[in-house]
């Protein structure tokens, strides 16, 4: 494979990742826009968001520590990575974890950084789904593994029917995106 072919392949993968994110966000916005006061889309205080996310994390039998931070309290260089995202999830090894009494050495920690508009149950589940399928070294984005993890979380932790509505919105958004890509293969390339 030549360098040009390799660059083209990387660009195609990047475009596919951007399109997957666009589709997932479109489905989320559709679900939250149907009835803004409902359980999945209700705006929460940071303490309520943390409590909900931590209860889901625990119910999923995750033993790693889950850290949740408000994006507007993070350094500017971290805030700049958000662009149009309401939240972001990542894994990180803390080199020397302090438990309040002692330094315990390296510890893998799950992080969710959330902006004020992302303080919603649906957003918490969206980010937890990323943590369930990602690792510190491998990010799967909005892949089919992420979709299945997210659907499962919605089914367990949101009112009946939310996941079904999301599925329909996801299919419709995917179909429209496929039409756009067929008409313009570089659709959304400006976001790269």
């Amino acid at each position: 494979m030549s360098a040009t072919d390799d660059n083209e392949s990387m660009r195609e993968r990047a475009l596919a990742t951007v399109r997957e994110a666009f589709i997932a966000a479109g489905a989320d916005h559709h679900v939250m826009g149907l009835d803004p006061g409902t359980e999945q889309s209700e705006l929460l205080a940071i303490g309520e968001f943390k409590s909900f996310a931590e209860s889901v994390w625990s119910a999923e039998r995750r033993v790693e520590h889950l850290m949740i931070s408000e994006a507007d309290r993070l350094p500017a260089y971290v805030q700049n990575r958000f662009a149009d995202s309401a939240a972001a999830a990542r894994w990180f090894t803390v080199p020397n974890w302090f438990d309040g009494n002692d330094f315990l050495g390296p510890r893998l920690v799950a992080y969710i950084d959330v902006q004020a508009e992302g303080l919603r149950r649906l957003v918490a589940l969206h980010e937890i789904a990323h943590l369930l399928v990602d690792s510190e070294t491998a990010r799967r984005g909005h892949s089919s593994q992420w979709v299945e993890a997210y659907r499962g979380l919605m089914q367990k932790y949101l009112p009946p029917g939310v996941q079904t509505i999301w599925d329909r919105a996801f299919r419709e958004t995917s179909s429209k995106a496929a039409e756009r890509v067929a008409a313009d293969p570089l659709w959304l390339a400006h976001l790269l």
Side-chain angles (χ1 to χ4, degrees), residues 88-120:
R90 59 192 162 90
W91 286 99
F92 181 75
T93 297
V94 176
N96 205 357
W97 181 261
F98 182 69
D99 72 352
N101 296 315
D102 291 313
F103 286 99
L104 303 175
R107 185 164 188 183
L108 184 63
V109 178
Y111 283 89
I112 297 176
D113 301 321
V114 61
Q115 301 215 59
E117 69 271 11
L119 293 171
R120 302 169 197 278

Side-chain angles (χ1 to χ4, degrees), residues 8-162:
E8 186 64 30
S9 176
M10 286 176 32
R11 185 170 188 221
E12 283 302 314
R13 284 194 307 271
L15 263 172
T17 299
V18 167
R19 290 178 191 134
E20 288 171 349
F22 178 86
I23 293 165
D28 282 356
H29 287 283
H30 178 80
V31 170
M32 286 191 288
L34 289 177
D35 192 354
T38 57
E39 187 175 336
Q40 71 273 7
S41 58
E42 174 189 16
L43 193 58
L44 305 172
I46 185 66
E48 294 170 311
F49 182 89
K50 284 181 180 180
S51 179
F52 176 73
E54 289 168 351
S55 69
V56 170
W57 194 246
S58 177
E60 292 297 308
R61 294 179 167 77
R62 297 307 298 232
V63 296
E64 304 90 352
H65 189 72
L66 176 64
M67 298 283 294
I68 297 172
S69 60
E70 296 173 86
D72 63 350
R73 295 176 183 247
L74 298 172
Y77 74 90
V78 176
Q79 291 182 39
N80 292 339
R81 291 189 294 196
F82 274 86
D84 294 329
S85 300
R90 59 192 162 90
W91 286 99
F92 181 75
T93 297
V94 176
N96 205 357
W97 181 261
F98 182 69
D99 72 352
N101 296 315
D102 291 313
F103 286 99
L104 303 175
R107 185 164 188 183
L108 184 63
V109 178
Y111 283 89
I112 297 176
D113 301 321
V114 61
Q115 301 215 59
E117 69 271 11
L119 293 171
R120 302 169 197 278
R121 287 176 186 87
L122 192 68
V123 173
L125 296 180
H126 180 121
E127 298 308 326
I128 290 170
H130 282 298
L131 294 169
L132 293 176
V133 300
D134 289 351
S135 69
E136 190 173 18
T137 57
R139 300 190 78 163
R140 291 182 174 72
H142 299 89
S143 64
S144 60
Q145 295 99 333
W146 173 83
V147 169
E148 287 309 307
Y150 189 31
R151 291 177 73 246
L153 292 171
M154 283 187 276
Q155 199 168 39
K156 288 185 209 175
Y157 303 106
L158 292 179
V162 171

